[in-house]
Amino acid sequence: MSARKDASPSVDPGVVVTPKISEPWEVEKVLETIYPEAPAEGMATPIPFFHVLERLKTGKREGWRRFSIQRGESIADHMYRMSLMTFLCPPTLIGKLDLNKCMKMCLVHDMAESIVGDITPVDGVAKPEKSRREADTMDYIAKKLLGNVNGGRAGEEIRAIWQEYEDSKTDESIFVHDIDKIELLLQMVEYETRMAKKLDLGEFAYVATKVALPETREWAKDILRERAQFWGPKLHVNGEAGVRGGVKEATAQGQDAYYAEEKEKET
């Protein structure tokens, strides 16, 4: 474990930067950068884990930064709204889903980003490598931070629910993947509306084409209709149409490659 550091790298206590790590990426390399020291491992208390969770509150969703939204939503913000959205599960799905598990999955699915950071489809990190980093992080959380807490049961449950989401084969995981995309679409429209047509985030509308369930596809359609009404006749990007909708070719290729790998993993 790294020694306690004497000097803070930031003058703002509300800023926690996830550093760029040299290849090959390893959890231990990130832990060495944590100020003032990495969380204690193998403890019988969950307090070190609770401290790691703060990084989800301070870590930003990186896709928005490319559009100069520097104080946008955090990873925790995103997961919190997702969890609340499960309360409004469409009636036709209620009998098919364990909504308690869905809520937990919403709160767990991006937990690895507390160490890995938020990797987006255009960052150039292949999906298998992203998955490896996140799996290594979840092993670290489940075994080294929570392995000795109450017999390790909570850590095992968190790790299992995260893996279920990653595998995307159960009804619950497919629903939560859809909720993940719907939440992004909501945030896209909210940022655009707040900027009164001076900010076009239309490339993110691409995810509407990847929503799987008929019920959640209706939500996506409602959001895109709301967006279309907002923009009216003014020229804007329609990411759901890809390059034809004004998305840059390199961005569209990155999106296609990312979601092709995700689909391949599901089959």
Side-chain angles (χ1 to χ4, degrees), residues 18-19 39 53-54 97 104 108 141 143 148 174 203 205 243 262:
T18 301
L53 293 181
E54 191 234 2
L97 300 174
K104 289 181 177 181
V108 164
I141 289 172
K143 296 175 182 178
N148 290 333
I174 292 168
E203 72 174 54
V243 173
E262 182 176 272

Side-chain angles (χ1 to χ4, degrees), residues 126-143:
K127 185 72 173 180
E129 172 60 15
K130 177 178 183 289
S131 296
R132 179 194 71 82
R133 296 180 186 185
E134 293 180 346
D136 287 353
T137 297
M138 294 308 294
D139 286 341
Y140 157 74
I141 289 172
K143 296 175 182 178

Side-chain angles (χ1 to χ4, degrees), residues 150-167:
N150 299 330
R153 290 183 295 276
E156 291 171 0
E157 181 184 14
I158 288 170
R159 180 65 175 82
I161 290 174
W162 178 86
Q163 190 64 57
E164 182 177 341
Y165 175 82
E166 282 293 293
D167 293 340

